Amino acid sequence: MLFAYPESTRLNRVLPKSTIYKNAAPSSKQRELLTQQIDKIVWAHKLASDTLNIKAHADLPEIQVFQLQLKPPLTNISESLLQYLDKAIPSALIFEVQSSAGVQMIACLKHINQNGTVKYSPYLYGPLANAETERQDLPISRDFLQLHQQLLAALLPHPLKPGESLGEALDRNQQLEKLAKNIHKLEAQLHKKATQFNRRVELNQQLRSAKQAHTALLGK
């Protein structure tokens, strides 16, 4: 899942790590990871009212698209680095992580509190795509808040239900993930031949309840 950002939004500006450090001092571990994992940070696109024909929103006036080029042979980035960049840059961020494996869109819903602390939703990961993959047009949006929500909604492992907000969908997806892990755990316990009969009955009841809850949350 990659989006085609209009040429009017293109910046392609390399951001030295020292510039990022000025906005938020990294911990020694974060600085080490930045050195080990990221080869280059490119401020690729600025989605704002002066670059895109969409209204600014009081809660979200702009969206920035950062391309993070990983050092080979790495194909995955540490989430602590994504959180550090989200803290250092106050705008909403969309990451495109580039490696030898391809390009992956990653983003989260973040809220900056008045005291400067940042609350993050779980990160959402798009599928790995080839750099030459055809990109999708941006969704039609009334303002940048709606655009950001639509971009993140495209990354949800389970789609939005009718009338569901992005925050509600994120909570539901977390619940589905926990239930899926519990189902896997219960099934593994049931496969153990040494499990006593009474315990197997109990596990089967728990498994049935977990599967019913999972199905209900999926809306099927």
Side-chain angles (χ1 to χ4, degrees), residues 22-23 29 48 69 107 118 127 134 137 144 171 198 202-203:
K22 291 177 183 177
N23 288 347
K29 181 62 175 178
Q69 297 181 12
V118 184
E134 185 176 355
D137 291 336
F144 285 103
D171 289 341
N198 289 343
E202 181 184 353
L203 289 172

Side-chain angles (χ1 to χ4, degrees), residues 126-171:
L128 273 172
N130 187 288
E132 305 305 318
T133 298
E134 185 176 355
R135 291 173 174 252
Q136 296 188 20
D137 291 336
L138 288 178
I140 297 173
S141 310
R142 63 177 176 270
D143 55 40
F144 285 103
L145 181 62
Q146 186 186 36
L147 175 60
H148 186 246
Q149 291 178 342
Q150 288 175 305
L151 294 177
L152 266 61
L155 300 178
L156 288 168
H158 304 286
L160 281 170
K161 295 167 68 174
E164 186 177 44
S165 70
L166 180 61
E168 290 169 341
L170 286 166
D171 289 341

Side-chain angles (χ1 to χ4, degrees), residues 9 46-63 92 138-150:
T9 69
K46 174 186 175 183
L47 311 184
S49 56
D50 60 343
T51 65
L52 199 60
N53 189 26
I54 297 178
K55 293 180 181 179
H57 190 282
D59 293 332
L60 204 156
E62 296 183 358
I63 302 170
L138 288 178
I140 297 173
S141 310
R142 63 177 176 270
D143 55 40
F144 285 103
L145 181 62
Q146 186 186 36
L147 175 60
H148 186 246
Q149 291 178 342
Q150 288 175 305

Side-chain angles (χ1 to χ4, degrees), residues 18-178:
S18 57
T19 301
I20 304 293
Y21 297 162
K22 291 177 183 177
N23 288 347
S27 65
S28 57
K29 181 62 175 178
Q30 288 169 334
R31 188 184 290 266
E32 181 183 0
L33 286 172
L34 278 163
T35 301
Q36 291 175 346
Q37 296 189 7
I38 297 182
D39 182 46
K40 185 164 50 175
I41 300 172
V42 178
W43 184 5
H45 297 273
K46 174 186 175 183
L47 311 184
S49 56
D50 60 343
T51 65
L52 199 60
N53 189 26
I54 297 178
K55 293 180 181 179
H57 190 282
D59 293 332
L60 204 156
E62 296 183 358
I63 302 170
Q64 317 302 336
V65 180
F66 278 20
Q67 292 175 349
L68 308 179
Q69 297 181 12
L70 300 186
K71 290 185 175 180
L74 294 177
T75 56
N76 294 299
I77 189 169
S78 170
E79 274 198 3
S80 67
L81 286 184
L82 299 178
Q83 289 181 345
Y84 167 69
L85 291 171
D86 262 315
K87 181 179 179 180
I89 308 298
S91 292
L93 297 184
I94 301 293
F95 297 109
E96 289 191 356
V97 179
Q98 302 175 341
S99 70
S100 58
V103 185
Q104 187 175 32
M105 179 178 165
I106 306 175
C108 77
L109 191 63
K110 69 178 179 181
H111 176 73
I112 302 175
N113 300 314
Q114 290 183 345
N115 61 4
T117 59
V118 184
K119 182 180 179 181
Y120 310 92
S121 76
Y123 277 90
L124 298 172
Y125 293 76
L128 273 172
N130 187 288
E132 305 305 318
T133 298
E134 185 176 355
R135 291 173 174 252
Q136 296 188 20
D137 291 336
L138 288 178
I140 297 173
S141 310
R142 63 177 176 270
D143 55 40
F144 285 103
L145 181 62
Q146 186 186 36
L147 175 60
H148 186 246
Q149 291 178 342
Q150 288 175 305
L151 294 177
L152 266 61
L155 300 178
L156 288 168
H158 304 286
L160 281 170
K161 295 167 68 174
E164 186 177 44
S165 70
L166 180 61
E168 290 169 341
L170 286 166
D171 289 341
R172 183 169 60 88
N173 276 269
Q174 278 188 285
Q175 295 177 52
L176 283 165
E177 184 177 347
K178 289 179 181 179

